[in-house]
Amino acid sequence: MPVAARGDRSPAPHTGALESLLTRVSRGDQYAFEQLYTAVAGSVLGLVRRVVRDPAQSEEVAQEVLIEVWRSAARFDARQGSAMAWIMTLAHRRAVDRVRSVQAAADRDHRAGMGAYTAPFDEVSEQVERRLEREQVRRCLQQLTDLQRESVTLAYYRGYTYRETADLLGAALGTVKTRLRDGLIRLRDCLGVSA
């Protein structure tokens, strides 16, 4: 049985009539359910549509609500409120649950999509960046004293040990270590690297 369209709403029966219909529905009276359905379907759809917004999902949720009314009519308690309030509460809860479910699914999909996402590798920009870094290192090396530059070049670019560097430069090991330390400090400052 499709949910009544907005324009097909018939005037809602008074509260006592809805309660009576719900009591009959709780006993399995299908004719009473048809009357109840006709009386409340438009209001249920209207409320659900304001919450869910999507027309197709709104109709689906409204159908679920009306099925729930059929199945759980025996739980209605007139001391807790009117029949229409009870039905509209069921509709609102179901609509909010749908919105939350849709949002949770979208969030899961987004997280899964972001986890699988890898930024495209841009080889050209990588090469340009490396070239710029090399040029900056060369400029900074030119700012070192000759002894510092020779020590750094031998030890870090040519792979010599401190002892081998000292032997090649004809200097004491302690002197070479001091030159290297001072040269590296100046390079760090020149390159803007924090300590």
Side-chain angles (χ1 to χ4, degrees), residues 32-140:
F33 181 69
E34 287 176 23
Q35 290 178 311
L36 181 71
Y37 188 102
T38 302
V40 301
S43 297
V44 167
L45 180 60
L47 171 69
V48 169
R49 202 143 181 207
R50 282 191 300 277
V51 176
V52 176
R53 304 209 184 251
D54 178 78
Q57 283 194 33
S58 297
E59 289 181 12
E60 187 177 312
V61 170
Q63 286 287 20
E64 292 170 4
V65 169
L66 292 165
I67 290 170
E68 185 176 353
V69 168
W70 168 256
R71 290 180 180 159
S72 63
R75 290 193 327 223
F76 169 69
D77 183 357
R79 294 171 298 189
Q80 301 287 325
S82 71
M84 189 59 138
W86 181 74
I87 292 169
M88 296 307 271
T89 299
L90 292 176
H92 186 263
R93 286 180 183 159
R94 182 66 64 115
V96 168
D97 286 347
R98 174 63 62 98
V99 169
R100 287 179 179 156
S101 174
V102 167
Q103 184 61 49
D107 290 347
R108 273 191 310 274
D109 290 345
H110 178 72
R111 283 192 304 272
M114 290 306 291
Y117 175 76
T118 56
F121 179 73
D122 187 352
E123 191 174 323
V124 173
S125 67
E126 184 76 23
Q127 288 174 354
V128 169
E129 189 174 322
R130 275 194 234 127
R131 185 176 301 139
L132 291 173
E133 287 173 353
R134 281 194 302 267
E135 288 174 15
Q136 185 178 10
V137 169
R138 282 188 194 115
R139 278 193 308 272
C140 290

Side-chain angles (χ1 to χ4, degrees), residues 174-191:
T175 304
V176 169
K177 286 183 179 180
T178 301
R179 287 179 192 164
L180 282 169
R181 185 197 58 184
D182 293 344
L184 291 175
I185 290 171
R186 287 184 67 185
L187 278 175
R188 179 194 68 199
D189 294 344
C190 178
L191 293 170

